């Protein structure tokens, strides 16, 4: 069920329905090399949200429009990227939560596909805690790491980050294959500066193309295995089984 498809009467009824979960996809507009589009994270967040809704039961979920812009400081200087600072993103997302709460929604699950949004999303949940009659969950590919270790062929350039590489390109080949141009996929073995964990460093200072690994090894099969596991984990948490 899509939020924007509801009319006024339906919205009043559906959003107050007991047990309804609002799913809020959030992505980013940023460069992802030449084989993926600028809205890659948006397409991935939307795709995961739709699969979560189908698995939980579409009558129990309402999918909000994807928040297209995110915090992308690391690639903010590269043409094509649009960066929204954490403080602005936090307030923006909090107002969305407030609006849903006023409408009667008791549970909001943020489906995030861009790691850089993490701080702002957590700040929103903490700000809402105790001030809104709403429980907020936030998910950024929970449980993906275990499956990635099993199915991916290449070593990650960083223990936390992935970007336009075998992992993210596989996600896109599964969820939005028509937007991937594998003929332009490349391999970039990127070395992070030694002081990266201790001082701010923009990615364009050590990356010539926004690909963090080997995109040529991506496949829809790998993407399916990882994303399906992620969706399963999200659904189990939302159902209260974990």
């Amino acid at each position: 069920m899509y939020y924007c498809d509801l009319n006024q009467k339906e919205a009043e009824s559906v959003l107050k329905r007991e047990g309804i979960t609002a799913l809020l996809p959030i992505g980013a507009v940023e460069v992802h090399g030449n084989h993926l589009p600028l809205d890659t994270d948006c397409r991935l967040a939307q795709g995961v949200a739709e699969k979560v809704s189908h698995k939980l039961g579409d009558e129990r979920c309402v999918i909000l429009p994807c928040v297209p812009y995110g915090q992308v400081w690391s690639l903010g200087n590269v043409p094509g990227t649009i960066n929204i600072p954490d403080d602005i993103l936090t307030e923006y997302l909090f107002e969305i939560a407030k609006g849903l709460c006023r409408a009667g929604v008791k549970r909001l699950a943020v489906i995030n596909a861009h790691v850089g949004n993490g701080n702002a999303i957590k700040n929103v949940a903490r700000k809402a805690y105790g001030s809104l009659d709403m429980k907020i969950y936030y998910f950024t590919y929970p449980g993906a790491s275990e499956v990635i270790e099993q199915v991916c062929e290449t070593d990650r350039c960083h223990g936390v980050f992935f970007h336009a590489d075998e992992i993210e390109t596989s996600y896109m080949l599964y969820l939005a294959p028509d937007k991937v141009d594998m003929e332009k996929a490349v391999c970039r073995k990127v070395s992070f500066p030694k002081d990266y964990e201790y001082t701010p460093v923009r990615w364009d200072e050590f990356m010539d193309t926004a690909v963090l690994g080997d995109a040529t090894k991506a496949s829809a099969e790998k993407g399916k295995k990882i994303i399906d596991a992620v969706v399963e984990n999200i659904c189990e948490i939302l159902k209260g089984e974990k």
Side-chain angles (χ1 to χ4, degrees):
M1 181 171 16
Y2 294 96
Y3 188 89
C4 285
D5 287 343
L6 302 174
N7 60 33
Q8 183 174 348
K9 183 176 182 180
E10 290 168 340
E12 183 178 5
S13 173
V14 168
L15 299 180
K16 291 181 179 178
R17 185 184 300 167
E18 184 177 355
I20 198 76
T21 299
L23 303 176
L24 177 61
I26 177 170
V29 175
E30 65 171 332
V31 290
H32 284 77
N34 297 315
H35 66 295
L36 296 177
L38 297 177
D39 68 344
T40 287
D41 294 333
C42 302
R43 294 179 184 277
L44 296 180
Q46 183 74 27
V48 172
E50 290 172 352
K51 288 188 175 297
V52 168
S53 179
H54 294 331
K55 190 168 185 63
L56 283 178
D58 289 326
E59 73 285 352
R60 299 175 55 191
C61 300
V62 58
I63 303 174
L64 283 94
C66 181
V67 175
Y69 302 107
Q71 187 275 99
V72 199
W73 182 87
S74 59
L75 287 167
N77 286 337
V78 182
T81 296
I82 297 176
N83 173 49
I84 305 298
D86 276 333
D87 56 343
I88 296 175
L89 185 59
T90 296
E91 291 304 315
Y92 182 76
L93 295 175
F94 185 67
E95 291 301 321
I96 293 174
K98 281 173 60 178
L100 291 169
C101 190
R102 283 194 297 268
V105 175
K106 302 292 186 183
R107 191 160 76 156
L108 171 64
V110 182
I111 309 298
N112 177 43
H114 176 67
V115 173
N117 295 331
N119 287 337
I121 295 170
K122 185 175 288 187
N123 287 340
V124 170
R126 289 176 174 176
K127 188 174 181 178
Y129 188 85
S131 67
L132 297 181
D133 184 19
M134 169 186 282
K135 188 173 181 65
I136 298 180
Y137 296 83
Y138 40 88
F139 302 105
T140 305
Y141 300 118
S145 295
E146 295 86 343
V147 186
I148 288 170
E149 291 180 2
Q150 297 171 11
V151 304
C152 289
E153 303 173 52
T154 56
D155 294 331
R156 298 172 66 170
C157 296
H158 189 277
V160 175
F161 302 116
F162 58 93
H163 190 78
D165 56 351
E166 180 182 7
I167 299 168
E168 194 166 34
T169 304
S170 292
Y171 293 173
M172 281 290 283
L173 286 171
Y174 176 42
L175 295 174
D178 59 316
K179 298 301 178 180
V180 183
D181 186 351
M182 286 302 290
E183 292 185 359
K184 296 179 180 177
V186 297
C187 176
R188 289 290 185 272
K189 298 298 184 181
V190 178
S191 295
F192 281 73
K194 291 182 179 180
D195 60 354
Y196 181 82
E197 307 297 336
Y198 312 104
T199 188
V201 182
R202 292 187 185 271
W203 284 15
D204 59 299
E205 295 178 26
F206 58 90
M207 297 171 67
D208 60 349
T209 303
V211 176
L212 196 60
D214 190 353
T216 68
K217 300 295 186 182
S219 72
E221 181 182 7
K222 294 173 183 175
K224 183 179 189 308
K225 288 180 179 179
I226 303 168
I227 293 298
D228 285 358
V230 164
V231 170
E232 181 68 29
N233 283 327
I234 292 173
C235 291
E236 286 184 2
I237 293 166
L238 291 177
K239 288 187 294 186
E241 295 178 5
K242 280 192 173 181

